[in-house]
Amino acid sequence: MADKLDRVIADYVNGRIDAKIKSIESRYLYRQKVDNLGIRTGYSGGSEQESHVMNKEDLDNDAEFCSLKEVTYIFSMWYEPLRDIEKEVIKLKLSGYTGLPWYRVMMELDLKDIDISQKQAKRIFYQFKRDIEPFILHCLN
């Protein structure tokens, strides 16, 4: 489960969860009816307002959309109040596809003139994971 949690944290930190949410919203809210000639039809049997409300209801009932919104809410409570140093450690550790090794995280922190030991950086990262794990895994199940 740790790999799944790392992936979710990385998606939030790197902005991919927000991109997924916007993608799902656009899929539901900006549907256009196309007839067999490939042009947009003027009349689809219902009003534009009615179809917009129905699409909005479909969006609110989408399971993936709801779980992503809940994950975003949980992260806003846990990640946003962190200090900038803590956010930077988490972001660096989970950047890329597999995350950076600790020696690379420390090199990047040194380049940014952040004076912190590797032990402190690991404690920040693993404490954050431990704190948020029950809430995120509850959301995804």
Side-chain angles (χ1 to χ4, degrees):
M1 278 318 238
D3 292 357
K4 189 174 187 179
L5 181 62
D6 285 347
R7 194 174 319 116
V8 172
I9 295 170
D11 284 350
Y12 178 79
V13 170
N14 296 320
R16 288 188 289 263
I17 287 183
D18 288 333
K20 287 179 187 177
I21 288 172
K22 288 183 192 304
S23 172
I24 294 171
E25 283 178 343
S26 68
R27 184 174 56 214
Y28 279 100
L29 298 180
Y30 304 111
R31 290 181 181 167
Q32 291 185 349
K33 303 290 183 195
V34 176
D35 67 2
N36 58 359
L37 297 175
I39 57 175
R40 186 168 186 256
T41 58
Y43 180 69
S44 61
S47 70
E48 290 287 327
Q49 295 86 358
E50 180 184 12
S51 64
H52 182 72
V53 169
M54 291 173 61
N55 289 340
K56 184 78 170 144
E57 288 175 1
D58 290 342
L59 175 67
D60 292 338
N61 293 330
D62 187 283
E64 182 183 12
F65 179 76
C66 292
S67 68
L68 289 174
K69 290 296 268 187
E70 190 173 353
V71 165
T72 303
Y73 176 72
I74 290 170
F75 270 105
S76 69
M77 290 189 326
W78 285 93
Y79 182 76
E80 298 307 324
L82 294 176
R83 295 178 303 162
D84 291 337
I85 294 172
E86 295 169 337
K87 287 181 184 179
E88 193 65 32
V89 167
I90 294 167
K91 186 174 182 177
L92 286 172
K93 181 59 183 160
L94 294 174
S95 64
Y97 287 110
T98 58
L100 294 178
W102 282 107
Y103 75 90
R104 289 279 312 275
V105 171
M106 298 313 296
M107 286 172 50
E108 293 291 330
L109 289 173
D110 285 340
L111 288 174
K112 296 179 181 190
D113 293 328
I114 297 174
D115 188 30
I116 189 173
S117 70
Q118 184 172 344
K119 186 176 181 178
Q120 288 172 321
K122 284 183 176 182
R123 186 178 59 226
I124 289 168
F125 178 72
Y126 291 118
Q127 182 64 43
F128 177 74
K129 273 182 67 171
R130 264 193 310 275
D131 288 345
I132 203 166
E133 182 176 23
F135 302 103
I136 295 298
L137 294 181
H138 167 74
C139 248
L140 298 175
N141 291 335

